[in-house]
């Protein structure tokens, strides 16, 4: 699988979109894409870092530093910076950690620390008007944040990593998954630790189920929800992590 297989899914903004060109999940797609590239080792470290930064900058063009959005098209609801849910932001954080964009992650976290690390998902994505309670960080996201910006809190990681392990163990292959478990596992397995060893073992045990759910999610013919070649990149990355 080649890294450039998703290039045909970029729109006029240069942003990765779904097969139907909907950009509502572009921040998520960008995050899992660059996490997969890191795991698979495409290009040099510097090239991967530059490409990740380029894609994030395309999404965040002309908005306050540290804030993110789903997509930059100002004519669509998903350009609203207050519609970014945890499922969108967490994979982007994984990409930042893996590509050593710690400064960008820290600026974003500085804004969220003021709000107890809750996300900026305060606008309902369907009406774009009604207020909603913002998403709290999940244990898996907190583990990413600690690994990326607060290593002195690493003693909490064994507890936080339990969520990822349970999420993997509960996979049955009968649902759809966007691939962010792969991004979380990539961050957790950067260094050799007892927990990274356990995550790799669980990932290997559940590899077939995970790949089946990723492929179901990214199958274009199903509902144009995903990006088929991105799904294959994530499956390849999952295999590498499980070795």
């Amino acid at each position: 699988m080649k890294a450039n297989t998703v290039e045909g899914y970029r729109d006029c903004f240069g942003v990765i979109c779904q097969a139907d060109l909907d950009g509502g999940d572009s921040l998520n797609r960008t995050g899992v894409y660059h996490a997969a590239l890191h795991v698979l080792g495409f290009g040099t470290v510097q090239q991967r870092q530059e490409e990740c930064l380029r894609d994030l900058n395309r999404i965040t063009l002309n908005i306050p530093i540290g804030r993110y959005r789903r997509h930059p098209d100002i004519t669509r609801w998903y350009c609203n910076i207050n519609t970014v849910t945890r499922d969108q932001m967490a994979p982007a954080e994984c990409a930042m950690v893996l590509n050593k964009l710690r400064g960008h992650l820290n600026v974003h976290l500085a804004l969220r620390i003021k709000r107890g690390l809750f996300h900026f998902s305060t606008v309902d994505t369907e009406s774009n008007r009604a207020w909603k309670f913002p998403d709290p960080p999940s244990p898996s996201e907190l583990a990413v944040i600690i690994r990326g910006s607060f290593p002195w809190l690493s003693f909490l990681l064994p507890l936080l990593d339990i969520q990822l392990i349970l999420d993997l163990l509960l996979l049955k292959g009968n649902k759809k998954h966007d691939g962010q478990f792969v991004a979380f596992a990539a961050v957790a397995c950067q260094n050799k630790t007892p927990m990274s060893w356990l995550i790799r073992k669980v990932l290997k045990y559940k590899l077939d189920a995970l790949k089946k759910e990723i492929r179901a999610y990214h199958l274009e013919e199903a509902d144009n929800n995903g990006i088929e070649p991105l799904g294959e990149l994530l499956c390849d990355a999952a295999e590498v992590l499980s070795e």
Side-chain angles (χ1 to χ4, degrees):
M1 179 63 64
K2 296 181 179 179
N4 62 4
T5 51
V6 305
E7 293 306 304
Y9 296 83
R10 293 184 184 275
D11 61 10
C12 61
F13 296 90
V15 174
I16 302 171
C17 291
Q18 296 170 178
D20 60 359
L21 294 182
D22 185 276
D25 289 321
S26 287
L27 185 59
N28 171 291
R29 305 289 184 265
T30 298
V32 295
Y33 173 62
H34 285 285
L37 293 189
H38 174 86
V39 173
L40 296 171
F42 284 111
T44 66
V45 173
Q46 183 177 354
Q47 286 172 335
R48 292 195 299 271
Q49 184 182 60
E50 291 175 350
E51 290 177 7
C52 181
L53 184 58
R54 175 204 64 192
D55 279 345
L56 290 175
N57 285 341
R58 284 173 173 170
I59 291 177
T60 60
L61 183 66
N62 296 326
I63 62 175
I65 296 175
R67 294 297 300 272
Y68 288 82
R69 58 185 170 196
R70 294 166 177 259
H71 190 279
D73 186 351
I74 61 173
T75 68
R76 305 300 297 271
W77 67 265
Y78 42 68
C79 78
N80 190 323
I81 60 178
N82 292 316
T83 61
V84 178
T85 60
R86 180 178 58 239
D87 285 348
Q88 296 296 316
M89 195 65 226
E93 292 166 350
C94 290
M96 284 185 253
V97 173
L98 292 168
N99 288 288
K100 302 188 185 306
L101 298 175
R102 182 173 180 177
H104 291 74
L105 179 61
N106 288 346
V107 172
H108 171 68
L109 293 177
L111 298 177
R112 280 179 52 200
I113 286 174
K114 299 176 183 178
R115 45 193 292 120
L117 284 178
F118 280 83
H119 286 269
F120 292 97
S121 51
T122 57
V123 174
D124 182 81
T125 56
E126 293 185 5
S127 68
N128 205 24
R129 295 187 182 90
W131 185 87
K132 67 181 285 288
F133 194 83
D135 293 339
S138 67
S140 291
E141 184 191 5
L142 287 174
V144 171
I145 290 171
I146 288 174
R147 287 185 168 100
S149 296
F150 306 108
W152 48 276
L153 291 175
S154 294
F155 66 91
L156 295 174
L157 292 175
L159 180 62
L160 296 173
D161 284 338
I162 290 175
Q163 184 194 14
L164 177 58
I165 292 171
L166 290 177
D167 284 340
L168 291 170
L169 286 173
L170 291 173
L171 289 172
K172 295 182 179 179
N174 60 349
K175 297 182 179 180
K176 297 181 180 181
H177 190 268
D178 60 13
Q180 60 182 286
F181 288 174
V182 178
F184 289 141
V187 175
C189 294
Q190 287 184 101
N191 301 312
K192 292 184 178 180
T193 65
M195 290 306 292
S196 69
W197 177 86
L198 181 57
I199 289 170
R200 288 181 186 274
K201 290 296 182 182
V202 174
L203 187 57
K204 185 173 184 178
Y205 174 62
K206 286 293 185 174
L207 183 60
D208 288 342
L210 176 60
K211 289 167 64 175
K212 187 175 181 180
E213 293 197 3
I214 290 174
R215 284 175 173 146
Y217 184 93
H218 285 281
L219 185 64
E220 293 176 14
E221 288 76 8
D223 53 13
N224 286 328
N225 190 52
I227 301 172
E228 198 162 352
L230 175 56
E232 292 306 311
L233 278 176
L234 288 164
C235 288
D236 290 347
E239 286 189 12
V240 171
L241 286 171
S242 68
E243 294 174 354

Short mmCIF file of all heavy atoms in Angstrom, two decimals, residues 11 18 20 23 44 51 71 116 135 137 141 143 146 148 156 161 196 204 206 217 223 231-232 236:
data_model
loop_
_atom_site.label_atom_id
_atom_site.label_comp_id
_atom_site.label_asym_id
_atom_site.label_seq_id
_atom_site.Cartn_x
_atom_site.Cartn_y
_atom_site.Cartn_z
N ASP A 11 -9.79 17.60 -1.58
CA ASP A 11 -10.66 18.51 -2.31
C ASP A 11 -9.90 19.76 -2.74
O ASP A 11 -8.67 19.80 -2.71
CB ASP A 11 -11.88 18.88 -1.46
CG ASP A 11 -11.49 19.57 -0.15
OD1 ASP A 11 -10.31 19.95 0.02
OD2 ASP A 11 -12.37 19.73 0.71
N GLN A 18 -14.11 12.55 2.47
CA GLN A 18 -14.66 11.23 2.24
C GLN A 18 -14.86 11.01 0.74
O GLN A 18 -14.66 11.90 -0.07
CB GLN A 18 -15.99 11.09 2.98
CG GLN A 18 -15.82 11.16 4.49
CD GLN A 18 -17.12 11.26 5.24
OE1 GLN A 18 -17.12 11.29 6.45
NE2 GLN A 18 -18.25 11.33 4.52
N ASP A 20 -17.50 10.87 -0.89
CA ASP A 20 -18.52 11.75 -1.45
C ASP A 20 -18.14 13.22 -1.32
O ASP A 20 -18.98 14.10 -1.51
CB ASP A 20 -19.87 11.50 -0.78
CG ASP A 20 -19.82 11.74 0.72
OD1 ASP A 20 -18.74 12.09 1.24
OD2 ASP A 20 -20.87 11.57 1.37
N GLY A 23 -16.69 16.92 4.03
CA GLY A 23 -15.52 17.21 4.86
C GLY A 23 -15.79 17.19 6.34
O GLY A 23 -14.96 17.64 7.13
N THR A 44 10.96 10.14 5.29
CA THR A 44 11.82 10.39 6.45
C THR A 44 11.00 10.98 7.59
O THR A 44 9.86 11.39 7.40
CB THR A 44 12.95 11.37 6.09
OG1 THR A 44 12.37 12.65 5.78
CG2 THR A 44 13.75 10.87 4.88
N GLU A 51 4.64 17.02 6.34
CA GLU A 51 3.37 16.72 5.70
C GLU A 51 2.22 16.78 6.69
O GLU A 51 1.12 17.25 6.37
CB GLU A 51 3.44 15.35 5.02
CG GLU A 51 4.35 15.32 3.80
CD GLU A 51 4.46 13.94 3.18
OE1 GLU A 51 3.71 13.04 3.63
OE2 GLU A 51 5.27 13.77 2.28
N HIS A 71 -13.09 21.14 9.03
CA HIS A 71 -12.78 21.44 7.62
C HIS A 71 -12.86 22.95 7.42
O HIS A 71 -13.65 23.63 8.09
CB HIS A 71 -13.79 20.72 6.71
CG HIS A 71 -13.43 20.77 5.26
ND1 HIS A 71 -13.70 21.87 4.48
CD2 HIS A 71 -12.85 19.85 4.46
CE1 HIS A 71 -13.28 21.63 3.24
NE2 HIS A 71 -12.77 20.41 3.20
N GLY A 116 -11.07 22.53 31.84
CA GLY A 116 -11.02 21.19 32.41
C GLY A 116 -10.76 20.12 31.38
O GLY A 116 -11.16 18.96 31.58
N ASP A 135 -17.72 17.36 24.87
CA ASP A 135 -17.16 16.04 25.15
C ASP A 135 -16.03 16.12 26.17
O ASP A 135 -15.11 16.95 26.02
CB ASP A 135 -16.59 15.42 23.87
CG ASP A 135 -17.67 15.09 22.85
OD1 ASP A 135 -18.84 14.98 23.26
OD2 ASP A 135 -17.32 14.94 21.67
N PRO A 137 -12.56 14.40 27.85
CA PRO A 137 -11.53 13.53 27.28
C PRO A 137 -11.75 12.10 27.74
O PRO A 137 -12.21 11.85 28.87
CB PRO A 137 -10.23 14.10 27.85
CG PRO A 137 -10.65 14.73 29.15
CD PRO A 137 -12.02 15.28 28.89
N GLU A 141 -7.61 9.15 25.29
CA GLU A 141 -7.12 10.46 24.87
C GLU A 141 -6.20 11.05 25.93
O GLU A 141 -5.16 11.65 25.61
CB GLU A 141 -8.27 11.41 24.60
CG GLU A 141 -7.79 12.77 24.07
CD GLU A 141 -8.86 13.84 24.04
OE1 GLU A 141 -9.98 13.59 24.52
OE2 GLU A 141 -8.56 14.95 23.54
N ALA A 143 -4.29 9.43 27.87
CA ALA A 143 -3.01 8.73 27.75
C ALA A 143 -2.16 9.35 26.64
O ALA A 143 -0.94 9.51 26.78
CB ALA A 143 -3.25 7.24 27.47
N ILE A 146 -0.82 12.76 27.93
CA ILE A 146 0.27 12.59 28.89
C ILE A 146 1.55 12.20 28.17
O ILE A 146 2.62 12.74 28.44
CB ILE A 146 -0.11 11.53 29.94
CG1 ILE A 146 -1.17 12.10 30.89
CG2 ILE A 146 1.12 11.08 30.73
CD1 ILE A 146 -1.72 11.10 31.88
N GLY A 148 2.35 12.87 25.19
CA GLY A 148 2.83 13.95 24.34
C GLY A 148 3.30 15.18 25.06
O GLY A 148 4.24 15.84 24.61
N LEU A 156 0.27 7.34 35.57
CA LEU A 156 -1.16 7.12 35.36
C LEU A 156 -1.45 6.26 34.12
O LEU A 156 -2.58 5.77 33.96
CB LEU A 156 -1.88 8.46 35.20
CG LEU A 156 -1.89 9.39 36.41
CD1 LEU A 156 -2.52 10.73 36.03
CD2 LEU A 156 -2.67 8.75 37.56
N ASP A 161 -4.52 3.17 30.06
CA ASP A 161 -4.41 2.28 28.90
C ASP A 161 -5.40 1.12 28.97
O ASP A 161 -5.61 0.41 27.97
CB ASP A 161 -2.99 1.72 28.78
CG ASP A 161 -2.01 2.74 28.22
OD1 ASP A 161 -2.46 3.69 27.55
OD2 ASP A 161 -0.80 2.59 28.45
N SER A 196 2.83 -1.44 26.64
CA SER A 196 2.91 -1.48 25.18
C SER A 196 3.00 -2.93 24.70
O SER A 196 2.44 -3.29 23.66
CB SER A 196 4.10 -0.67 24.68
OG SER A 196 5.33 -1.27 25.03
N LYS A 204 -2.79 -8.10 18.38
CA LYS A 204 -2.57 -9.28 17.53
C LYS A 204 -3.73 -10.27 17.67
O LYS A 204 -4.20 -10.84 16.69
CB LYS A 204 -1.27 -9.95 17.92
CG LYS A 204 -0.89 -11.12 17.01
CD LYS A 204 0.50 -11.64 17.32
CE LYS A 204 0.90 -12.74 16.35
NZ LYS A 204 2.28 -13.23 16.60
N LYS A 206 -6.82 -9.58 18.41
CA LYS A 206 -8.03 -9.02 17.84
C LYS A 206 -7.81 -8.40 16.46
O LYS A 206 -8.66 -7.65 15.97
CB LYS A 206 -8.61 -7.96 18.78
CG LYS A 206 -9.27 -8.56 20.00
CD LYS A 206 -10.54 -9.32 19.59
CE LYS A 206 -11.30 -9.83 20.77
NZ LYS A 206 -12.58 -10.45 20.36
N TYR A 217 -16.07 0.18 7.73
CA TYR A 217 -16.28 1.63 7.88
C TYR A 217 -15.83 2.39 6.64
O TYR A 217 -16.51 3.33 6.20
CB TYR A 217 -15.49 2.13 9.09
CG TYR A 217 -15.71 3.59 9.41
CD1 TYR A 217 -16.68 3.99 10.32
CD2 TYR A 217 -14.95 4.59 8.79
CE1 TYR A 217 -16.89 5.33 10.62
CE2 TYR A 217 -15.16 5.93 9.08
CZ TYR A 217 -16.12 6.29 9.99
OH TYR A 217 -16.33 7.61 10.25
N ASP A 223 -21.69 3.49 2.14
CA ASP A 223 -22.45 4.74 2.30
C ASP A 223 -21.58 5.98 2.07
O ASP A 223 -21.91 7.06 2.50
CB ASP A 223 -23.07 4.82 3.70
CG ASP A 223 -22.05 4.60 4.81
OD1 ASP A 223 -20.84 4.64 4.50
OD2 ASP A 223 -22.46 4.40 5.95
N GLY A 231 -8.48 3.05 4.76
CA GLY A 231 -8.78 1.88 5.56
C GLY A 231 -7.71 0.81 5.41
O GLY A 231 -7.30 0.18 6.40
N GLU A 232 -7.20 0.63 4.19
CA GLU A 232 -6.15 -0.36 3.97
C GLU A 232 -4.83 0.06 4.63
O GLU A 232 -4.09 -0.76 5.17
CB GLU A 232 -5.94 -0.60 2.48
CG GLU A 232 -7.11 -1.30 1.81
CD GLU A 232 -7.50 -2.60 2.50
OE1 GLU A 232 -6.59 -3.42 2.76
OE2 GLU A 232 -8.68 -2.79 2.80
N ASP A 236 -2.87 -2.09 7.45
CA ASP A 236 -1.43 -2.39 7.37
C ASP A 236 -0.71 -1.91 8.63
O ASP A 236 0.17 -2.60 9.15
CB ASP A 236 -0.82 -1.71 6.14
CG ASP A 236 -1.27 -2.34 4.83
OD1 ASP A 236 -1.86 -3.44 4.87
OD2 ASP A 236 -1.05 -1.73 3.77
#
